[in-house]
Amino acid sequence: MSGAFFRVDKFIVPAAAREEFLVKVMMTHKLLEAQDGFIDHRVLEQVAGPGEFNFVTIAEWENTEVVERARAAVAAAHKAANFDPQEMFSRLGIRADIASYKPVAA
């Protein structure tokens, strides 16, 4: 798929897990920033409203092809650091909703 592409990850993070979660998210986003095709990213924390997800991360990419290369680079970096995101989610009680999005044509 050509054109702008977004990865939007939503998380339910228990208060006791906030610090460790954010350290790992920021580490991962530093890796993303170094990848070809990366445009921008945001890490958002809910401050009001009834929504169940208290953290949202959004990464913007040039297209889907660069996302696949970035995904492989991040997986390799996590493995080298002996970091398993799924283990951390399970251990800390974090629930995630991970999805990819494209802009809607007006």
Side-chain angles (χ1 to χ4, degrees):
M1 177 187 321
S2 62
F5 185 78
F6 295 83
R7 167 78 180 252
V8 179
D9 300 346
K10 299 173 281 193
F11 303 94
I12 300 171
V13 180
R18 182 182 183 277
E19 180 89 15
E20 183 175 348
F21 170 78
L22 285 175
V23 165
K24 296 302 187 184
V25 165
M26 297 309 181
M27 175 190 80
T28 300
H29 277 244
K30 283 290 181 201
L31 293 167
L32 297 178
E33 290 174 353
Q35 303 305 307
D36 289 336
F38 171 83
I39 296 174
D40 194 20
H41 68 90
R42 294 281 184 268
V43 177
L44 307 172
E45 183 173 13
Q46 181 182 9
V47 294
E52 67 177 322
F53 297 102
N54 55 336
F55 285 93
V56 176
T57 64
I58 303 170
E60 182 178 1
W61 298 91
E62 288 177 359
N63 55 54
T64 58
E65 292 77 22
V66 298
V67 171
E68 289 308 313
R69 289 193 300 272
R71 186 183 334 256
V74 168
H78 283 171
K79 185 174 182 177
N82 200 29
F83 170 56
D84 179 352
Q86 296 310 314
E87 180 280 326
M88 181 186 79
F89 291 174
S90 178
R91 178 172 45 84
L92 297 176
I94 296 170
R95 291 191 4 235
D97 178 39
I98 311 284
S100 299
Y101 296 82
K102 65 178 185 171
V104 175

